[in-house]
Amino acid sequence: MREKEPSRYSYLPGPLASLDFLGLFEKDPFGNMLLIKRILISLIGWFTYFRYTLYNRIKIEGMEHLKDLPINNVIFLSNHQTYFADVIAFYHIFCAAKWNYRNTIFPPFYLLAPRARNYYVAASETMKGGIVPRLFSLGGAIQIERSWRAKGQDVKREVDRSASDKIGKALEHGWVVSFPQGTTSPYAPVRKGTAHLLKESNPIVVPIVINGFRRAFDKKGLRFKKRNTTLTIRIKPPMEYSPDEDVDALVDKVRDAIEQNIPKEKLTWMQ
């Protein structure tokens, strides 16, 4: 898992880009202006902050594992419980970590200068479902076409070959959040595309295990379902792996890391 020189993009021509030390004209690999992205992340952060601290209680463990991570080529793999509440909580934590917070997002001063080099993998159909998702997509969504599911139904269609390229560009520029199960259903199988991505890009892999979001919010993560819920986010140490490992072995390793093995009692019940 090698550190790589972070990519940098600018609206200015090469000779002038080096003079933009404030990053006012810097953009991400997908053409979004970082200044606008910072403002958007800050606004969404202020708007959502009390959902995690006042209406619910957030419990964070392991922020020390973020302290020495490089600025790019880091992928966070997590189990998934809502479309947006999970990701927004991660953004709060990443921005707080930039300000050296430890296992807390209080007080929210970090929203005055949020981290902009954040991305998350999302299904294209999810990001087109209204004004709010479209707004959230500007905060760093890497939109992909799922080959196994569409509109809540299982499907079989051609794999989105551009997905790995998009995620690769995002990794060269910053941090990426991915949900390797590709669905909010618990204990769903880990998609093999995640293993192929690790073999191709060889990023630092940080597993995250979350709980409580499914109880607190609706499926989209935009509306409250049950308040005063404890939301737990446990950030684990970087996962040891080799890009030379077999795909199935990597899938098993990721599933173990995000703790999505089916419990024995459920297996007994299914039998």
Side-chain angles (χ1 to χ4, degrees):
M1 293 168 279
R2 300 179 302 273
E3 293 188 18
K4 300 179 180 179
E5 186 70 23
S7 57
R8 187 173 187 270
Y9 302 86
S10 177
Y11 286 109
L12 299 175
L16 296 178
S18 59
L19 301 178
D20 182 25
F21 59 91
L22 293 178
L24 298 179
F25 297 95
E26 194 173 353
K27 61 182 180 180
D28 69 15
F30 310 106
N32 301 307
M33 196 170 189
L34 288 191
L35 178 60
I36 300 299
K37 189 174 176 181
R38 286 191 180 93
I39 294 173
L40 180 62
I41 291 173
S42 179
L43 290 175
I44 293 175
W46 286 109
F47 181 75
T48 60
Y49 178 76
F50 294 102
R51 293 159 58 90
Y52 303 106
T53 57
L54 180 61
Y55 298 109
N56 294 291
R57 300 179 301 276
I58 192 165
K59 180 180 178 182
I60 308 168
E61 298 178 20
M63 279 183 69
E64 65 272 13
H65 301 308
L66 305 180
K67 183 178 179 181
D68 297 320
L69 292 177
I71 196 174
N72 69 329
N73 202 38
V74 179
I75 188 166
F76 297 86
L77 301 181
S78 174
N79 59 314
H80 202 16
Q81 296 194 341
T82 72
Y83 292 169
F84 299 112
D86 315 5
V87 171
I88 295 172
F90 293 165
Y91 269 45
H92 276 282
I93 291 171
F94 296 164
C95 294
K98 174 185 173 183
W99 283 52
N100 295 319
Y101 283 46
R102 296 293 296 271
N103 293 336
T104 185
I105 58 173
F106 177 82
F109 294 142
Y110 56 86
L111 293 173
L112 298 174
R115 191 180 194 281
R117 289 176 177 249
N118 301 323
Y119 302 90
Y120 62 98
V121 181
S124 296
E125 64 183 76
T126 300
M127 307 313 297
K128 297 174 182 176
I131 296 177
V132 174
R134 289 177 185 272
L135 185 64
F136 285 168
S137 70
L138 299 177
I142 306 170
Q143 300 187 39
I144 63 171
E145 296 289 342
R146 293 186 297 184
S147 60
W148 66 93
R149 196 164 180 82
K151 298 180 180 180
Q153 303 293 325
D154 292 333
V155 299
K156 288 185 179 181
R157 60 187 178 193
E158 188 175 349
V159 175
D160 183 0
R161 302 294 179 184
S162 67
S164 60
D165 291 336
K166 293 176 184 176
I167 298 173
K169 286 183 179 180
L171 282 170
E172 290 175 358
H173 191 252
W175 293 357
V176 174
V177 174
S178 181
F179 302 99
Q181 294 167 286
T183 176
T184 56
S185 299
Y187 309 117
V190 170
R191 313 304 303 185
K192 289 188 177 181
T194 298
H196 288 293
L197 175 66
L198 300 189
K199 291 173 72 67
E200 292 171 8
S201 298
N202 192 21
I204 294 174
V205 178
V206 179
I208 300 179
V209 180
I210 65 172
N211 198 15
F213 289 82
R214 186 178 288 109
R215 291 191 298 274
F217 304 103
D218 67 351
K219 189 171 184 178
K220 287 187 177 181
L222 300 178
R223 296 180 179 179
F224 292 114
K225 191 165 68 174
K226 183 180 179 181
R227 302 193 183 194
N228 296 319
T229 300
T230 298
L231 310 172
T232 63
I233 299 179
R234 183 156 46 91
I235 304 166
K236 303 173 77 171
M239 186 181 85
E240 296 292 336
Y241 77 98
S242 168
D244 297 327
E245 289 184 53
D246 179 74
V247 168
D248 290 332
L250 279 175
V251 166
D252 291 341
K253 188 168 286 188
V254 169
R255 185 175 61 249
D256 290 341
I258 63 173
E259 300 180 10
Q260 286 299 292
N261 289 305
I262 301 177
K264 291 182 179 180
E265 57 270 21
K266 288 186 176 291
L267 286 173
T268 303
W269 179 83
M270 290 179 359
Q271 292 172 353

